[in-house]
């Protein structure tokens, strides 16, 4: 066999071995993902996700509409102090709420008190153990929660998200439209959050009646 032919054969063999190794690694990674049913998100093990949908009466991309759809609305300037872990704070609501500890620095519209306050956003990551406690046996089986150990139920989360989420950051200022009800909630999540208070100056002309 000629020397050139031997070199080509060796190169072809090495390429084939490389391709087989890559395919094997990809298959193992895919198998591991399917077996564990979770992904890593911000140091949390996410077992599954739930999408929260809303039916808007008015266009929520317009601040005045978000304001009008709020209960006891006010527009406030806040500084985010800390963000807690989501939980089901309303027994009659299937959606979880994430607590946000803030300092209300200014009230741009409506009646709200200045100072420290805990407000909420709809959605967030909830421990599997808490989700399980609110589900029927059929729902638990459908979601695959019955396949987890007690330890996994305490360390894994179900992520509840909306198509209008907005990731608040600690130590940053925001202007928000607050529905100042029993559970003071940022109305519309991302639709009711503004990084620059000038973006909601038009709300100063709205009525709170």
């Amino acid at each position: 066999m000629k020397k050139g032919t031997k070199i080509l054969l060796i190169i072809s063999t090495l390429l084939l071995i490389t391709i087989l190794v890559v395919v094997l690694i990809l298959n193992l990674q895919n198998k591991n993902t399917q077996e564990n049913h979770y992904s890593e998100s911000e140091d949390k093990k996410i077992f599954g996700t739930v999408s929260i949908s809303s039916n808007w009466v008015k266009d929520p991309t317009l601040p005045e509409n978000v304001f009008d759809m709020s209960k006891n609305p006010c527009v406030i300037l806040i500084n985010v102090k800390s963000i807690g872990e989501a939980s089901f704070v309303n027994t009659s609501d299937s959606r979880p709420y994430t607590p946000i500890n803030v300092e209300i620095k200014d009230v741009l519209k409506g009646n709200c008190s200045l100072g420290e306050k805990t407000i909420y956003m709809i959605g967030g990551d909830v421990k599997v153990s808490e989700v399980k406690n609110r589900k029927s046996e059929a729902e638990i089986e459908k979601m695959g929660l019955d396949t987890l150990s007690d330890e996994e139920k305490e360390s894994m989360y179900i992520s509840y998200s909306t198509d209008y989420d907005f990731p608040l950051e600690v130590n940053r200022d925001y202007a928000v439209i607050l529905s100042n009800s029993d559970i003071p909630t940022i109305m519309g999540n991302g639709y009711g959050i503004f990084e620059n208070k000038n973006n909601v100056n038009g709300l100063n002309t709205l009525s709170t009646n």
Side-chain angles (χ1 to χ4, degrees):
M1 184 180 294
K2 294 182 179 181
K3 184 177 181 181
T5 304
K6 288 183 178 180
I7 293 175
L8 287 175
L9 182 60
I10 292 172
I11 292 174
S12 299
T13 303
L14 290 174
L15 285 174
L16 181 59
I17 292 173
T18 302
I19 292 172
L20 289 174
V21 170
V22 171
V23 171
L24 179 61
I25 291 173
L26 290 175
N27 286 338
L28 287 173
Q29 289 178 339
N30 183 57
K31 182 180 179 182
N32 184 63
T33 300
Q34 291 177 343
E35 288 178 349
N36 288 296
H37 293 280
Y38 69 79
S39 60
E40 298 290 341
S41 175
E42 297 180 354
D43 299 326
K44 290 182 179 178
K45 294 180 180 178
I46 304 299
F47 180 77
T49 59
V50 175
S51 179
I52 301 173
S53 59
S54 298
N55 295 318
W56 300 100
V57 178
K58 299 179 179 180
D59 182 2
T61 63
L62 300 176
E64 57 267 30
N65 288 342
V66 178
F67 186 88
D68 288 341
M69 290 185 287
S70 303
K71 183 179 180 180
N72 299 324
C74 58
V75 183
I76 55 178
L77 180 65
I78 64 170
N79 178 264
V80 177
K81 298 299 184 182
S82 64
I83 300 174
E85 192 167 278
S87 63
F88 298 99
V89 298
N90 188 341
T91 56
S92 62
D93 195 336
S94 61
R95 304 169 300 177
Y97 289 72
T98 296
I100 307 160
N101 298 316
V102 304
E103 178 188 356
I104 300 177
K105 302 172 67 175
D106 195 8
V107 179
L108 307 178
K109 185 67 179 179
N111 297 313
C112 283
S113 301
L114 299 177
E116 294 188 359
K117 186 180 182 71
T118 299
I119 62 177
Y120 295 84
M121 287 181 67
I122 294 172
D125 300 333
V126 186
K127 280 187 177 181
V128 168
S129 58
E130 184 174 353
V131 175
K132 180 178 178 293
N133 290 337
R134 295 177 60 90
K135 299 295 181 181
S136 66
E137 290 300 324
E139 290 174 319
I140 290 171
E141 184 176 351
K142 184 178 180 181
M143 296 177 71
L145 305 184
D146 56 333
T147 65
L148 300 176
S149 66
D150 290 341
E151 182 179 351
E152 287 173 326
K153 291 170 188 174
E154 290 298 328
S155 62
M156 290 184 176
Y157 293 78
I158 301 293
S159 182
Y160 289 78
S161 62
T162 71
D163 57 359
Y164 44 91
D165 284 343
F166 187 94
L168 294 176
E169 297 180 18
V170 174
N171 296 325
R172 286 199 59 180
D173 290 349
Y174 301 91
V176 302
I177 300 174
L178 189 71
S179 181
N180 199 21
S181 54
D182 293 337
I183 302 176
T185 306
I186 297 176
M187 187 63 183
N189 278 20
Y191 292 135
I193 300 172
F194 307 87
E195 294 185 273
N196 187 334
K197 69 177 183 180
N198 293 329
N199 293 343
V200 287
N201 273 350
L203 291 176
N204 293 331
T205 62
L206 297 178
S207 169
T208 57
N209 296 330

